[in-house]
Amino acid sequence: MEEHREERCWEDLLPDALGLIFRNLSLQEMLTVVPRVCKSWSRVVSGPYCWQEIDIQEWSQQQNKPDQLTRMVHTLVTRSGDSFRRISVSGLPNDSLFTFIANHARSLKTLELPRSEISDCIVEDVAQRLSNVTFLDVSSCTKIGARALEAFGKNCKSLVGLRRVMHPIDVAGKVCQHDEARAIACSMPKLRHLEIGYMLIATNAVVEIASRCRDLSFLDLRGCWGVDDKLLQDKYPGLKVLGPRVDDCYENSFLEECSDDSDDDSIYSWEEYMDDEDYFAAGSDDEEALWDDGHALEGLEVRFYGGGFGEGAFAGIDWPESP
């Protein structure tokens, strides 16, 4: 007797299931291939199911056009429907883009903005909108200091991870950053993971952090030459300390140029995508303007992570309910 099985079409899959599948694709495929398959797939990539976690860190490091970066952030955040849980982008060009992210951050848990041009004043103004953030990366953000760190700490009550790693060039000419260390110690008591590589601090500043942040289990001090790590190990035996000695050369990913691995031979090239008037017919003018520079967005890839920063340490993907 032949077993009867109900066959379903791919386009009939639930949007959240399709979102899980599409997360394995590059952004170029999501925007040039998937929308051409069928209307239901096009609706999925235009909605929040594919944009819970936005990681354009690597791509943004290659950008030298602030308006292009701004349009990309606006587009992806808007598509997420304010439901993005993680955003990772390097080099925000101004305070206004940081404000835009904060205004849509009701679900945000992980905020990574290394090398961004943000100021103490704007952080103090909008930090209250980032109250759900649990992990923060403001490495090499040279225009902020103790005031911004204090504002983050006071408003992000659940903050358990901070990355404030500096490049040696960032601190050239500075005397010390003890005020930043004190801001961390006084306003971020729940920290469990702290990276402050190459900050200009002494042992007593680190001792204050370790004394006030009682849950601290990992501390990265690589390049902090004024810190006595042996004293810390004796005083806090349960604390894993990395550094201050550096075993290899400084990780200069911020300075290296990334290669362009995009495939120009694809049958769905950016040129063909750009010429497709039907695709933009249902889109906004802003989305259409995003692609005016043609190949400038090649190599961009959006990655999805199940658990945010670390293994299960922070909130993961919380897919919207299917209609």
Side-chain angles (χ1 to χ4, degrees), residues 9 71 76 152 179 185 220 242-244 277 285 297 308:
C9 298
R71 291 200 302 273
L76 299 186
F152 279 125
D179 57 340
D220 186 348
L242 185 61
E277 295 180 1
D285 292 339
L297 296 179

Side-chain angles (χ1 to χ4, degrees), residues 297-315:
L297 296 179
E298 285 185 356
L300 170 58
E301 186 170 329
V302 175
R303 303 171 186 171
F304 298 80
Y305 299 83
F309 180 82
E311 292 291 333
F314 308 103

Side-chain angles (χ1 to χ4, degrees), residues 57-128:
Q57 180 84 236
E58 198 170 310
W59 170 81
S60 59
Q61 289 177 13
Q62 304 176 53
Q63 297 307 303
N64 56 8
K65 297 181 179 179
D67 59 330
Q68 196 173 85
L69 177 58
T70 299
R71 291 200 302 273
M72 179 54 66
V73 172
H74 274 261
T75 296
L76 299 186
V77 168
T78 300
R79 288 193 175 193
S80 78
D82 293 2
S83 65
F84 64 103
R85 305 294 296 270
R86 175 177 183 252
I87 185 167
S88 179
V89 54
S90 178
L92 293 188
N94 49 54
D95 284 340
S96 61
L97 189 53
F98 176 65
T99 301
F100 172 79
I101 293 173
N103 288 340
H104 297 268
R106 60 181 174 84
S107 301
L108 185 61
K109 297 289 186 181
T110 301
L111 177 62
E112 299 171 87
L113 305 174
R115 297 183 64 210
S116 291
E117 298 292 317
I118 57 178
S119 64
D120 285 327
C121 292
I122 201 63
V123 172
E124 290 173 333
D125 287 344
V126 305
Q128 69 272 16

Side-chain angles (χ1 to χ4, degrees), residues 119-239:
S119 64
D120 285 327
C121 292
I122 201 63
V123 172
E124 290 173 333
D125 287 344
V126 305
Q128 69 272 16
R129 302 170 207 168
L130 303 169
S131 58
N132 292 323
V133 169
T134 58
F135 176 76
L136 175 67
D137 183 354
V138 285
S139 298
S140 290
C141 293
T142 58
K143 291 187 176 180
I144 64 172
R147 286 170 53 195
L149 293 177
E150 184 177 0
F152 279 125
K154 288 183 175 180
N155 289 278
C156 305
K157 301 293 186 182
S158 300
L159 193 66
V160 294
L162 173 67
R163 182 180 293 132
R164 175 65 169 158
V165 178
M166 309 303 289
H167 191 283
I169 296 176
D170 298 332
V171 296
K174 289 189 176 182
V175 177
C176 70
Q177 293 173 289
H178 290 167
D179 57 340
E180 292 192 21
R182 183 162 182 78
I184 293 171
C186 295
S187 65
M188 304 178 184
K190 295 183 179 180
L191 282 183
R192 299 200 302 263
H193 184 110
L194 177 60
E195 300 178 34
I196 49 176
Y198 289 89
M199 284 184 64
L200 300 177
I201 52 178
T203 305
N204 61 333
V206 180
V207 168
E208 183 176 11
I209 291 175
S211 300
R212 290 177 177 263
C213 304
R214 299 180 180 275
D215 296 328
L216 193 63
S217 58
F218 177 83
L219 180 59
D220 186 348
L221 294 170
R222 284 177 293 182
C224 298
W225 309 116
V227 177
D228 183 352
D229 58 315
K230 295 198 178 296
L231 185 149
L232 292 175
Q233 291 170 359
D234 293 340
K235 192 173 181 65
Y236 306 100
L239 176 61

